[in-house]
Amino acid sequence: MKTPRRYTATVACLTILASLLCSSLTLTAQKPSLPDLFGQKQAASGKETKNAKAEISVSLLPQDAKAGETVTLSLTMLIPEGSYTYSTNPTFGGATKFVIEESKGVTAIDQHFNADHPPKTVFEPLFGKEIEKYTKSVIWTRRFKVNKDVKEPSQVQIKGQMLYQVCDSKNCVPSQYPFSATLSGKQESAPLSFTTIPERRNVPDPIELKFALEPAAVNPKQLVDLKITMKLEPEFHTFALDQDKTQAGLPTHIEILKLEGLKSVSQQFKATPDPKEETHGEFSQRTHYNEVVWTRQFERIADAQEIGVEGKLTYQICNEGSCRRPMPVEFQLGDLTNAQPVAMSSLEELHSDSAADDDTIIISSEESNRSLSSYLFFAFLGGLILNVMPCVLPVVAIKVMSFVQQAGESRLRIFLLNIFYSLGVLVVFLSLASLAVFAGLGWGGLFQSTKFNVIMACIVYAMGLSMLGVFEIPVPGMVGSAAGGQQKEGLTGAFLTGILATLLATPCSGPFLGPVLAWSVKQTPQITYLVWLVMGLGMASPYIIFSIFPNAIKFLPKPGMWMVRFKEFSGIVLMGAVIFIISFLDESLTIPVLIMLLGITTGLWMIGSLYSHSSPARVKLAVRTTALLLTAGICFFGYNMSQKSTNDLPWVPFNAQELKKLRSENRTVLIDFSADWCLSCKTNEKLALNTPETLEMVSKYNVVPMYADYTDYSPDIKAWLDKFESVSIPLTVIFPANNPNKPIIIRDLYTQSTLLSALKQAVDESPASKSAPKQAMVSAESTDAR
């Protein structure tokens, strides 16, 4: 008998449903396929992930800080292996957050907590965006200033919470860490162990260092080991303590500077494992990879209550392609209150005459001459390559235009122009050699000077404006209107162009220069000068060739419209060079320098646009004088912003409950509603609030200054702004001590005299006063804390 089709279909459907149900039950019994990123399922089950716990400690140092001094609040997080936590970047919902709930006796200097090293940025497919993460360890710090009215250290206290997550490959566990820190008045002992990742210009080295005194407790033999552990990332290596520094690698060096309760047992550090013997061409090296532990043994002095050590580790790391300059890392372990200075080195076992020989270079043998010749060859080649480095290209572009212009000039003039340019190059190289010999300032050292960077940024910026056609005044070595061939380059201009090009080259280090420069500064002054002179000749060689064979200029393109476009493009490149130079500066100087560049733009625009060549002399003089005064005023304003004030008021963070308490105690309170992005606010703070006169009055009348930071949106501060009917900042509010229900309000920009007058009115206010203050008022009901 045939089975009906409808019956067959029904059975098939029931079979599929049963299969799906079984699969669902099976999947339910298994682990979830998606990671539990925020630990919701653990939280729901009441279970905690075992591998997601982090160790957090808090400190407030120095413990013996006095009124007016700076203290640092530190929260150290040790993250489990294979786990990570997030940065404080607010663009991600799971970011680490810090909440200061109470701060007594201190005023915040930093607006936010700062990490000791940058996070690693990783693209997270699940979120579809880049996420900033920390692994291993991270230390968050925030600086505070002890208020001047603090008499006892115990008056200082900071309380708050740290909200964070610790995640692994499967899930995240959200947690909070309540912290409290105060001052004891006694010098704090350093920990007996700590881990750090050294940084160079905020970029971490590919290593991790751990310093430790072990064991911490007294053992029967009274022996203590100082252990320094270095963990290196793959492909990187460091050098042994006894590495021969003539073999292309500097030895690791460990110095002991102070000891407390300890005396040395062993005469040197021992490395575990032993260094690896390597040969690279003619060089033999002793290196460490992956992990190395240097250990030195000490004996605890009888009856010593505390132990401690202070020292310095200096290391160099390399990979197959390059080496980084030696890096010193200072360390302190244990109690150093009564530490005695000592002088112990990791190289005590070497004979003193070996070190003396290193300072003497004798060039007598044929092999030594060949070695010097090879260094001179690479010095010349490195100098030649500098002409195509990004730092120099903008000026070389100008020089190319100059060559085109010279194509129609006499052979003698072409020769002189290029010789003078080359002399400018050589003068700078010889000057840098002098700095290296007498001041120990190496290649690129000038760019470590903030003033030098600011001056170079302004000069290059002015050159860029000229190339972009903002004004038509000759820049060093090139005329702004040279594209049209109207004016010619002078010998002084060519000389200054050579100087400028070489100065711009100093932050760059092309191929071959690194080893040559490192070798040259260790030689006698005569050899150092010779090497740097040859390097300068290498950089100037193309122009010397043009001076000797001027007919080569004829192979360049003929003048035309392309020069105008090339000039404009060179101006854009120069603006990029300005950004490159500003990147060297501290972040706090960025805005002041931009203001100075704005002043330069204004003045040069006036000179280039408000008169013509046919204008009367008096008109030209008037415009130039006005431009100079205006530029000087704007630049002075920017410079003044960059200067840190020594008259800052003892600001305390704005807190509604604290304000209510101060008003009830009949204290005069000054509140500054401000933000980092508010230029008018910073102007008020610079010219009116943080001044000697205001500080004197605040101290004399015991006024409490509160800082309401609106940099990051705060609903609480927004509510208070609404109470004072203010839709913008700056806003300054003063609550008089004897009339706290009638605050004095000062809006927008104001002068110091306005502020001092309002403060005088506030401290003179009496309860019997019936007249309303001259400034705007709000009622007490509208100013009570919610």
Side-chain angles (χ1 to χ4, degrees), residues 210-444:
K210 180 179 180 181
F211 300 88
L213 278 177
E214 298 177 355
V218 179
N219 57 51
K221 294 184 178 180
Q222 298 283 314
L223 296 180
V224 176
D225 290 336
L226 169 60
K227 291 187 176 180
I228 302 176
T229 304
M230 177 185 288
K231 294 182 179 179
L232 300 102
E233 291 187 4
E235 308 302 327
F236 278 90
H237 63 269
T238 191
F239 297 97
L241 299 174
D242 56 356
Q243 161 73 12
D244 184 355
K245 61 182 181 181
T246 65
Q247 297 294 310
L250 297 179
T252 301
H253 189 56
I254 307 173
E255 297 174 89
I256 306 299
L257 305 175
K258 290 182 180 180
L259 283 178
E260 167 75 12
L262 297 172
K263 62 180 180 180
S264 180
V265 174
S266 57
Q267 293 302 310
Q268 61 188 34
F269 281 86
K270 180 182 178 181
T272 307
D274 292 333
K276 182 180 178 181
E277 300 282 352
E278 293 184 320
T279 302
H280 301 278
E282 59 180 324
F283 298 110
S284 298
Q285 297 179 329
R286 291 170 58 78
T287 55
H288 294 286
Y289 289 84
N290 301 322
E291 181 175 317
V292 57
V293 181
W294 293 286
T295 305
R296 186 165 184 171
Q297 200 166 69
F298 296 85
E299 181 180 350
R300 183 188 290 262
I301 297 175
D303 301 328
Q305 299 297 319
E306 301 290 347
I307 60 172
V309 61
E310 178 181 321
K312 181 170 69 173
L313 166 74
T314 304
Y315 66 89
Q316 183 182 40
I317 55 173
C318 305
N319 57 18
E320 291 184 0
S322 63
C323 286
R324 303 188 182 185
R325 63 175 176 81
M327 181 73 171
V329 179
E330 297 179 352
F331 59 90
Q332 293 182 348
L333 300 170
D335 192 328
L336 296 167
T337 306
N338 301 309
Q340 298 298 318
V342 295
M344 298 182 181
S345 168
S346 56
L347 298 178
E348 286 180 354
E349 70 279 2
L350 299 181
H351 297 295
S352 58
D353 54 348
S354 299
D357 292 339
D358 291 338
D359 295 330
T360 305
I361 299 177
I362 302 174
I363 304 175
S364 56
S365 67
E366 185 179 352
E367 180 180 0
S368 297
N369 288 327
R370 285 199 301 269
S371 177
L372 175 61
S373 300
S374 65
Y375 277 115
L376 292 178
F377 170 75
F378 287 120
F380 183 88
L381 191 58
L384 176 64
I385 294 175
L386 278 178
N387 286 290
V388 295
M389 297 304 292
C391 314
V392 191
L393 275 178
V395 179
V396 172
I398 300 173
K399 200 61 191 169
V400 170
M401 294 180 63
S402 177
F403 285 148
V404 174
Q405 185 187 29
Q406 295 170 31
E409 299 187 10
S410 68
R411 179 170 182 174
L412 176 61
R413 183 164 182 83
I414 292 173
F415 174 80
L416 291 176
L417 287 172
N418 286 281
I419 288 298
F420 270 75
Y421 176 90
S422 302
L423 287 176
V425 173
L426 296 179
V427 164
V428 176
F429 270 96
L430 292 176
S431 299
L432 292 175
S434 299
L435 291 175
V437 171
F438 299 109
L441 188 63
W443 180 257

Side-chain angles (χ1 to χ4, degrees), residues 8 413 663 752 778:
T8 304
R413 183 164 182 83
R663 290 172 58 199
Q752 178 180 265
V778 294

Side-chain angles (χ1 to χ4, degrees), residues 124 196 605 672 763:
E124 188 64 65
T196 184
W605 171 81
D672 176 30
V763 297

Side-chain angles (χ1 to χ4, degrees), residues 595-649:
I595 292 175
M596 296 172 70
L597 296 183
L598 176 63
I600 293 173
T601 304
T602 305
L604 295 181
W605 171 81
M606 292 176 65
I607 292 173
S609 303
L610 299 187
Y611 65 84
S612 64
H613 292 290
S614 60
S615 299
R618 59 182 180 80
V619 174
K620 293 181 179 180
L621 179 61
V623 172
R624 291 172 181 173
T625 303
T626 305
L628 178 62
L629 293 176
L630 187 59
T631 300
I634 297 175
C635 289
F636 178 77
F637 176 77
Y639 172 79
N640 200 36
M641 281 190 63
S642 68
Q643 303 304 301
K644 296 183 179 180
S645 173
T646 58
N647 302 295
D648 287 356
L649 300 184

